[in-house]
Amino acid sequence: MKRFGLGAFVSAMVSGGVAWAEVPRVVTDILPVHGLVSRVMEGVGEADVLVPAGASPHEMQLRPSQAGVLESADLLVWVSPVLTPWLGEAMERLAPETARIELLRAEGTRVLGFRAGPVFEAEHSEHEGDLDHAGHEDHDDHDDHGDHEEHAEGEHEDHDDHGDHDEHAEHDDHGDHDDHDDQDDHDDHAEHEGEDHHDHHHAPGSVDPHAWLDPQNAAIWLDVIAEELAKADPENAAQYRANAEAGKAEIAAASAVVAQQVEAVGQAGFFVAHDAYAYFEAAFGLHARGAVSDSDAARPGPARIQTLAEASGDVSCLWVEPQTNTDLGEQVLGEGKVQVMDPLGAELPRGAGFYPALITALGEGAGACAATE
């Protein structure tokens, strides 16, 4: 298992150990990370989230209110530029001195590689490469996106990947920020969402950034977040650490529930719309048989559909994300069941209880997928 240490990166993240005079202003990338930070900061302060419910982490144009939140932040907590390449660029432009915690680099984090499709091998693949040189992870190189576009080869029609609901971009007024009166800017954002600027093809073996779906990773990250906040805000250090401990206990309890929820899945085969759930599968001993598409942006061709249909055997269910075309299930499985599984938890209440609710919702969906009529 490949593990990545923080090393000198951690010292830089906390701005040389200098404590902020007030409770740190924290901003996160996606809702699951916001949930973890909210748990650590409960009773002390609140964090902001940049990617609103229904928007794609991969492609986003900051509105003035969001740019202002990022610019004024003391600390950014994010998964990785693998997930949000635009955010690294925005940080360099708007807040180059702001401290950052890149969770995918946290010591002990399990990092998986994307699986090769359409039919998966029997084991999950640990990522063994250098995170700094995997795809466009190096957020200091603003030209990385051009390299990523070389994978397009005309195969993908849009940039919506990872179950991130681009076609629901009009709902980004559900974000944490209250400045929604700039309609022209909102319209510009909607137009931008429809453009194919970067394709996010899942190259087999490249870093899979959905690492928050492994509860063990989430528990590790609670400690990382708590320690960095404790260094920056010593007055509330005990509260941050106590919250992290409570959060880990809640995640463990939720994981035990999920283990029961998915017990029947071991005997029931399932496909996924695209390779977005590997961390959840690995955490709970599950294994998808294959993926209908290379990414959420890719439309499977007849040959791939035929390959999956021939390999379906006892596969009776397809895991899809909210924006997935459910006709895929009928094409691959005929009368098979289609189960919506949202890895971002767009419909869940925000706050300290978000993460346990997210994994139990996924467990419930997986169990329902496996249940016989």
Side-chain angles (χ1 to χ4, degrees):
M1 180 183 300
K2 183 67 174 178
R3 305 284 183 176
F4 297 97
L6 292 174
F9 177 75
V10 167
S11 348
M13 286 193 303
V14 294
S15 302
V18 177
W20 290 297
E22 301 174 347
V23 173
R25 291 166 295 182
V26 183
V27 63
T28 68
D29 52 355
I30 58 174
L31 290 172
V33 174
H34 181 262
L36 296 175
V37 173
S38 295
R39 187 64 188 93
V40 174
M41 296 188 74
E42 188 176 31
V44 181
E46 296 182 359
D48 287 294
V49 61
L50 289 175
V51 181
S56 170
H58 285 302
E59 293 287 339
M60 184 170 148
Q61 186 177 53
L62 291 174
R63 297 164 59 186
S65 58
Q66 294 168 316
V69 167
L70 185 60
E71 201 167 13
S72 63
D74 297 309
L75 176 66
L76 168 69
V77 185
W78 61 335
V79 175
S80 170
V82 188
L83 182 69
T84 52
W86 56 270
L87 183 50
E89 297 172 356
M91 288 294 293
E92 294 304 317
R93 184 176 71 255
L94 298 172
E97 303 303 318
T98 296
R100 312 176 198 182
I101 300 176
E102 186 180 334
L103 295 172
L104 206 59
R105 291 179 179 275
E107 185 175 355
T109 297
R110 169 155 55 181
V111 180
L112 300 177
F114 280 118
R115 295 170 287 189
V119 179
F120 294 153
E121 297 294 330
E123 298 295 332
H124 295 280
S125 172
E126 298 282 344
H127 178 72
E128 297 293 340
D130 182 352
L131 195 61
D132 282 327
H133 297 92
H136 47 228
E137 286 89 343
D138 183 0
H139 54 73
D140 293 325
D141 183 356
H142 295 178
D143 293 326
D144 279 341
H145 307 296
D147 296 337
H148 205 51
E149 287 172 349
E150 293 175 3
H151 296 291
E153 297 179 355
E155 182 180 0
H156 309 306
E157 300 293 330
D158 60 54
H159 57 260
D160 181 49
D161 186 16
H162 300 295
D164 307 322
H165 333 307
D166 263 351
E167 64 268 49
H168 301 301
E170 64 268 21
H171 295 308
D172 67 2
D173 58 345
H174 293 293
D176 277 352
H177 314 300
D178 296 326
D179 183 3
H180 300 297
D181 54 359
D182 190 346
Q183 185 62 43
D184 290 339
D185 195 79
H186 180 74
D187 293 340
D188 290 342
H189 173 57
E191 290 173 8
H192 175 81
E193 296 266 338
E195 298 171 5
D196 185 12
H197 293 291
H198 309 296
D199 174 62
H200 298 282
H201 177 72
H202 294 338
S206 64
V207 172
D208 179 351
H210 298 82
W212 67 88
L213 294 181
D214 183 339
Q216 291 186 11
N217 283 349
I220 289 169
W221 295 350
L222 283 173
D223 279 337
V224 171
I225 295 163
E227 286 308 307
E228 298 316 316
L229 286 173
K231 292 175 187 176
D233 181 19
E235 183 176 345
N236 292 301
Q239 186 67 59
Y240 294 135
R241 291 173 175 139
N243 286 347
E245 288 301 316
K248 288 190 292 182
E250 291 160 3
I251 289 174
S255 296
V257 171
V258 174
Q260 294 181 330
Q261 290 173 321
V262 304
E263 193 171 348
V265 182
Q267 290 78 43
F270 65 97
F271 287 142
V272 294
H274 75 109
D275 194 8
Y277 308 96
Y279 289 92
F280 183 80
E281 296 169 45
F284 294 103
L286 309 179
H287 189 82
R289 305 291 178 83
V292 175
S293 301
D294 280 334
S295 77
D296 197 52
R299 293 190 174 96
R304 189 180 184 108
I305 293 292
Q306 180 64 28
T307 298
L308 287 167
E310 291 173 355
S312 60
D314 63 345
V315 173
S316 59
C317 190
L318 172 66
W319 293 9
V320 302
E321 289 150 278
Q323 84 290 346
T324 305
N325 183 348
T326 55
D327 289 346
L328 290 176
E330 184 176 348
Q331 293 178 46
V332 176
L333 299 177
E335 297 299 319
K337 186 183 302 183
V338 174
Q339 181 66 41
V340 176
M341 305 272 282
D342 185 358
L344 288 173
E347 299 300 321
L348 297 175
R350 299 186 187 185
F354 181 96
Y355 188 82
L358 173 65
I359 60 169
T360 52
L362 291 172
E364 183 178 3
C369 194
T372 57
E373 297 288 342

